[in-house]
Amino acid sequence: MPHLGKLEAAVMDVLWSTNAPLTVREVLERMPPQRNLAYTTVMTVLGNLLRKGLLEREPVGRAFSYRPTVTRQGAAAASLREILDASEDPRLVLLHFAETATDEESSVLREALARRATTS
């Protein structure tokens, strides 16, 4: 998963928050007003995200609509995988995370690992 800049993350947030593909204009209209972005800026960001493989697009009249190719959760998991892969000792990263995980997070991890063990 490629790293996202702040504006890319904001655009992905807009796309993840809807269940329908959006045009450049629709993304721009849903961006926080304090951003005060130009249409061409949003178009460029969408193009960058498309090239990174995070979006797909389809023609809609004379424009394109964009939709994510990965869920928000999938993107977060891919970011964690990237961190682990880049770490000198991924075990230490996982151990530190386990020590800081909430009881609920620990429970979810235990359940997922148990399911994985039974399907392997």
Side-chain angles (χ1 to χ4, degrees):
M1 169 69 52
H3 174 73
L4 296 179
K6 287 182 181 182
L7 186 52
E8 289 175 328
V11 167
M12 289 302 295
D13 283 340
V14 167
L15 291 163
W16 280 323
S17 69
T18 184
N19 291 328
L22 298 175
T23 63
V24 176
R25 174 78 49 213
E26 292 167 329
V27 171
L28 178 60
E29 290 169 355
R30 287 170 171 80
M31 291 295 289
Q34 65 270 22
R35 287 227 177 239
N36 196 26
L37 299 170
Y39 179 94
T40 54
T41 301
V42 174
M43 187 171 60
T44 298
V45 171
L46 288 166
N48 292 340
L49 292 167
L50 180 70
R51 278 187 294 286
K52 290 181 177 185
L54 298 172
L55 300 178
E56 59 187 17
R57 73 178 182 186
E58 56 189 50
V60 177
R62 294 178 37 169
F64 287 101
S65 65
Y66 297 83
R67 83 170 56 235
T69 58
V70 63
T71 64
R72 184 186 308 269
Q73 297 80 6
S79 293
L80 178 56
R81 175 82 266 154
E82 194 174 292
I83 290 167
L84 291 171
D85 289 346
S87 174
E88 193 172 295
D89 190 347
R91 294 176 320 130
L92 291 177
V93 174
L94 288 171
L95 288 171
H96 180 72
F97 176 77
E99 291 170 359
T100 63
T102 65
D103 290 342
E104 182 181 354
E105 291 165 343
S106 296
S107 177
V108 169
L109 286 171
R110 277 193 295 280
E111 290 170 13
L113 291 171
R115 276 194 312 273
R116 182 178 172 192
T118 60
T119 60
S120 297

